[in-house]
Amino acid sequence: EDQVTQSPEALRLQEGESSSLNCSYTVSGLRGLFWYRQDPGKGPEFLFTLYSAGEEKEKERLKATLTKKESFLHITAPKPEDSATYLCAVLAGGGADGLTFGKGTHLIIQP
Amino acid sequence: GAGVSQSPRYKVAKRGQDVALRCDPISGHVSLFWYQQALGQGPEFLTYFQNEAQLDKSGLPSDRFFAERPEGSVSTLKIQRTQQEDSAVYLCASSLAGTGANVLTFGAGSRLTVL
């Protein structure tokens, strides 16, 4: 069974304090690992897709990396507007159509 | 439209009532997905359409759940004889191409509360 575990469940940082969120996964044949951001009362918003170990992608203050067992979302010098829940998801091989999501990391950036 | 539109945004149902949730995807998007998100949890896959064909319904929790997309655009998720455990946010997502590996655009969701 495909599994995605995110840690920590919640993280409170001061503005400018860099940190990393972890996503550990177990999947039969990874076709893609996805990071989404979700604000309260809204649907998830796409951030990144990673396909193979060693791949990295960046967008503004966010950088996602991938190994064979886990992915990290690095947040550099965060701002209060980066506060949100960050969701990690995997798409398995074998013809699966739906993403398997983790529970998310609730990130709060204090000014 | 510019995004994925879902209605109603909020629905309160008494246990045993039937409900219908509507999703209007981005125009031209081939793939449409339904997910269920319980409070404090990540979304869980329910079902997948490619145009009007329902290719995967493995995530539907019981035969009380039914989804359709008759003309390959608007989709409806119907829940019969609602139970308290059906309380959740139901998210619809669409993507341009026909595989699950593509970027999904999610709607804001329909929050269902079953009393």
Side-chain angles (χ1 to χ4, degrees):
Chain A
E1 184 182 338
D2 304 326
Q3 279 195 315
V4 177
T5 303
Q6 293 189 246
S7 62
E9 290 186 6
L11 182 61
R12 188 183 296 266
L13 300 172
Q14 292 295 122
E15 184 173 1
E17 181 185 359
S18 301
S19 188
S20 296
L21 313 183
N22 177 264
C23 171
S24 297
Y25 64 90
T26 304
V27 65
S28 52
L30 181 71
R31 287 164 59 197
L33 184 139
F34 301 78
W35 282 97
Y36 282 84
R37 167 192 172 129
Q38 187 172 28
D39 292 295
K42 296 188 177 181
E45 177 186 349
F46 172 78
L47 293 173
F48 304 108
T49 308
L50 302 167
Y51 293 102
S52 57
E55 190 175 359
E56 299 183 352
K57 287 193 177 173
E58 285 188 70
K59 178 181 178 181
E60 295 181 358
R61 294 177 294 280
L62 300 177
K63 178 180 174 181
T65 62
L66 181 65
T67 73
K68 289 186 178 179
K69 294 182 179 180
E70 58 192 350
S71 176
F72 290 94
L73 184 66
H74 306 279
I75 303 177
T76 302
K79 299 181 178 181
E81 54 262 41
D82 295 322
S83 298
T85 295
Y86 290 85
L87 295 165
C88 173
V90 297
L91 183 66
D97 299 300
L99 298 177
T100 300
F101 281 87
K103 293 183 179 182
T105 293
H106 182 50
L107 177 65
I108 298 173
I109 308 300
Q110 293 180 310
Chain B
V4 177
S5 179
Q6 293 189 244
S7 61
R9 286 296 316 278
Y10 304 93
K11 175 70 178 178
V12 178
K14 291 183 179 178
R15 191 173 55 182
Q17 283 185 330
D18 297 347
V19 299
L21 308 177
R22 176 189 168 104
C23 172
D24 201 338
I26 293 173
S27 178
H29 275 200
V30 169
S31 295
L32 186 146
F33 299 79
W34 284 98
Y35 286 82
Q36 180 191 59
Q37 187 172 25
L39 189 64
Q41 305 294 312
E44 289 194 4
F45 169 75
L46 294 177
T47 188
Y48 163 58
F49 289 86
Q50 188 174 119
N51 295 307
E52 70 278 3
Q54 189 175 20
L55 299 186
D56 188 342
K57 53 182 181 180
S58 62
L60 296 176
S62 77
D63 59 6
R64 297 186 295 104
F65 286 71
F66 172 77
E68 60 183 5
R69 193 187 186 196
E71 298 178 356
S73 55
V74 171
S75 177
T76 303
L77 177 67
K78 297 179 180 178
I79 309 173
Q80 297 177 325
R81 305 181 303 281
T82 53
Q83 304 294 316
Q84 284 189 324
E85 60 263 28
D86 300 335
S87 295
V89 175
Y90 291 85
L91 295 165
C92 176
S94 68
S95 70
L96 183 60
T99 73
N102 289 281
V103 173
L104 298 182
T105 301
F106 281 85
S110 292
R111 180 180 296 276
L112 172 64
T113 303
V114 181
L115 302 177

